[in-house]
Amino acid sequence: MRLAVLLILSAAAPLAAQPAPSAQPAPSQAAAQSVPGPVTVESYYRIRWGSFWDFMEIYRQHHAPILAEMQRLGFITAIRTETPLTHMAGDQRWDLRVTITYRDGNAAAGSDPGYDRAAAEASRRLFADRDAHLAAETRRFAMIEEHWDVIVAPYAE
């Protein structure tokens, strides 16, 4: 997900902020450029029928604590988890939306090495039994029928 965010953020940078064509950085350098200000990403999950509560239990035990630690460390400024009030049909259906506001584009996109280091340290500290943690996360991912991310921006009239 964070790689997709990085690519979208790089493409969405204002044209005025881009250097002249002859001075364009290499693609890998451009991808690492900082996107100022907070970035909000909505992650949608369509979960296999009958697996929602199992998915949520694993999410609460194995993923939410890492997100909470990243928020405590300041990489994430807000986390909101929601489910739809009504049901939807077919391709439009989503079962869980997790909205995360990152402090900046680098934290959202994975180009901040401090984020990855802190997340790995949090994972090691929170889950001493690494094999059990990875097995639980593998089970959680197996329950996902489809997942997509949407980067959102405030709309000003």
Side-chain angles (χ1 to χ4, degrees):
M1 173 195 85
R2 289 176 37 176
L3 176 59
V5 171
L6 175 64
L7 293 173
I8 292 168
L9 289 173
S10 295
L15 290 176
Q18 298 291 324
S22 62
Q24 287 283 344
S28 61
Q29 290 172 327
Q33 289 178 334
S34 176
V35 177
V39 172
T40 300
V41 179
E42 293 179 342
S43 296
Y44 291 86
Y45 298 87
R46 184 179 308 141
I47 300 161
R48 274 194 348 247
W49 287 108
S51 299
F52 180 78
W53 294 112
D54 292 334
F55 178 92
M56 289 306 297
E57 184 64 25
I58 295 170
Y59 179 90
R60 275 192 290 272
Q61 290 178 358
H62 290 272
H63 191 62
I66 294 172
L67 292 176
E69 181 65 9
M70 299 311 287
Q71 184 174 21
R72 186 187 72 75
L73 294 172
F75 291 100
I76 292 174
T77 60
I79 303 168
R80 190 172 67 241
T81 305
E82 300 166 304
T83 58
L85 183 62
T86 60
H87 70 279
M88 292 170 270
D91 290 342
Q92 299 175 355
R93 178 178 71 85
W94 56 270
D95 301 300
L96 176 69
R97 176 175 59 205
V98 180
T99 304
I100 301 174
T101 301
Y102 295 90
R103 71 175 178 203
D104 57 33
N106 287 337
S111 60
D112 181 344
Y115 184 100
D116 291 333
R117 217 173 12 260
E121 289 171 9
S123 180
R124 280 192 298 276
R125 189 176 65 256
L126 293 168
F127 305 104
D129 186 346
R130 187 80 179 140
D131 291 338
H133 172 66
L134 292 175
E137 285 289 84
T138 299
R139 278 196 329 274
R140 181 173 70 92
F141 281 108
M143 293 178 211
I144 298 172
E145 188 174 294
E146 192 169 356
H147 168 260
W148 63 96
D149 297 308
V150 178
I151 300 171
V152 296
Y155 176 74
E157 291 188 37

